[in-house]
């Protein structure tokens, strides 16, 4: 009786050739540019005895406090009072600036009696910043090409 052909002959083989640009290696792929949240940062403490003081969790002060801190581009920011981490800052009754371009600024002179504390001084705040990785491709490009 004749022998059956080897199994490899019976199974068709599909060979796919992909262009080199589809072979995603570290040299060819767009970098992961999604922002990454920092830990909570608290480099300033308000002086309750000085009306001209306040709490200044600004990017400038963070850099002065830690020269290795890098946030090439802040995409988002979260600010909270250290004593009341679960209460949104808008509900604290304080006049506070929480801004993705500068960080947090709270001036004692802008506070009034009332709110969550009975004194017209800033609470102590901390911030977390969502930073874009410090990679040239991530910082210079703000739009994604679809071509």
């Amino acid at each position: 009786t004749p022998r059956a052909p080897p199994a490899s002959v019976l199974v068709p083989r599909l060979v796919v050739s992909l262009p080199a640009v589809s072979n995603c290696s570290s040299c060819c792929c767009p970098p992961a540019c999604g922002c990454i949240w920092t830990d909570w940062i608290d480099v300033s403490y308000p002086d309750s005895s000085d009306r001209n003081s306040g709490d200044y969790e600004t990017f400038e002060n963070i850099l002065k406090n830690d020269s290795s801190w890098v946030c090439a581009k802040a995409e988002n920011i979260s600010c909270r009072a250290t004593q009341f981490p679960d209460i949104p800052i808008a509900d604290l009754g304080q006049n506070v600036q929480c801004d993705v371009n500068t960080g947090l600024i709270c001036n004692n002179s802008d506070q009034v009696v009332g709110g969550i504390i009975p004194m017209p001084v800033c609470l102590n705040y901390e911030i977390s910043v969502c930073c874009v990785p410090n990679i040239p491709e991530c910082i210079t490009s703000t739009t994604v090409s679809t071509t």
Side-chain angles (χ1 to χ4, degrees):
T1 60
R3 289 178 23 172
S8 63
V9 173
L10 297 175
V11 179
R13 293 187 181 175
L14 180 63
V15 176
V16 178
S17 178
L18 298 173
V21 291
S22 294
N23 184 9
C24 203
S25 65
S26 62
C27 73
C28 308
C29 297
C33 291
C35 68
I36 300 163
W37 285 98
T38 65
D39 290 334
W40 288 101
I41 302 167
D42 183 6
V43 296
S44 170
Y45 193 86
D47 181 352
S48 60
S49 66
D50 183 356
R51 194 81 179 123
N52 295 317
S53 175
D55 195 20
Y56 306 100
E57 307 301 336
T58 62
F59 301 146
E60 183 181 345
N61 282 347
I62 294 167
L63 196 56
K64 283 180 188 174
N65 189 65
D66 179 3
S67 59
S68 68
W69 189 74
V70 175
C71 184
K73 179 182 166 194
E75 258 187 22
N76 205 344
I77 189 169
S78 182
C79 301
R80 69 182 186 185
T82 57
Q83 290 173 275
F84 308 101
D86 299 323
I87 300 177
I89 62 169
D91 297 342
L92 294 173
Q94 297 220 310
N95 185 357
V96 179
Q97 177 189 348
C98 177
D99 184 274
V100 73
N101 296 310
T102 37
L104 178 133
I105 296 174
C106 181
N107 295 305
N108 284 345
S109 59
D110 294 338
Q111 309 313 312
V112 295
V113 175
I116 205 158
I117 57 170
M119 301 179 304
V121 294
C122 293
L123 292 165
N124 185 39
Y125 291 92
E126 59 189 358
I127 67 172
S128 178
V129 186
C130 200
C131 295
V132 172
N134 192 18
I135 305 169
E137 296 86 356
C138 296
I139 300 162
T140 56
S141 174
T142 54
T143 57
V144 177
S145 173
T146 56
T147 57

